[in-house]
Amino acid sequence: MGDVSPRDEYRLTLAGLLLAAGLAVWLLLEPELIAALPMALRLPLVLLGAATLGVAFAAPLALERGRRAPFPAWRLGALVAFSLLLVARSLAG
């Protein structure tokens, strides 16, 4: 990846934060998306969700302290992948 400007980095962080907040609310309203899965599938999905949502919520703290958060596009990509998994699970029934 090339050099990302601070403005683009803030936009990526904001997009990730908004997506993480939306996913967190969605999972609070519909926990059966994950709860209905067998444990062998549920555990990796819970770990992926905890990691991606946690990093998305922690990213603004790094920017506030003047640190560059590593791989901002990678974090957003992981969050989008988790979102797509939940959407596929929701559509599958």
Side-chain angles (χ1 to χ4, degrees):
M1 287 185 121
D3 191 24
V4 179
S5 72
R7 186 175 208 167
D8 291 338
E9 191 170 336
Y10 286 123
R11 285 182 181 162
L12 282 175
T13 301
L14 180 61
L17 186 61
L18 291 174
L19 182 58
L23 284 175
V25 169
W26 186 26
L27 285 172
L28 284 172
L29 294 175
E30 294 189 37
E32 65 273 0
L33 285 175
I34 294 178
L37 292 172
M39 185 57 81
L41 296 175
R42 187 182 335 157
L43 186 60
L45 195 57
V46 166
L47 292 175
L48 175 66
T52 57
L53 292 177
V55 168
F57 284 126
L61 297 175
L63 290 176
E64 181 180 306
R65 293 178 182 242
R67 297 183 195 141
R68 289 200 64 168
F71 308 109
W74 179 86
R75 286 192 322 257
L76 189 58
L79 199 56
V80 168
F82 181 65
S83 303
L84 291 176
L85 284 172
L86 288 181
V87 168
R89 173 74 181 128
S90 176
L91 293 176

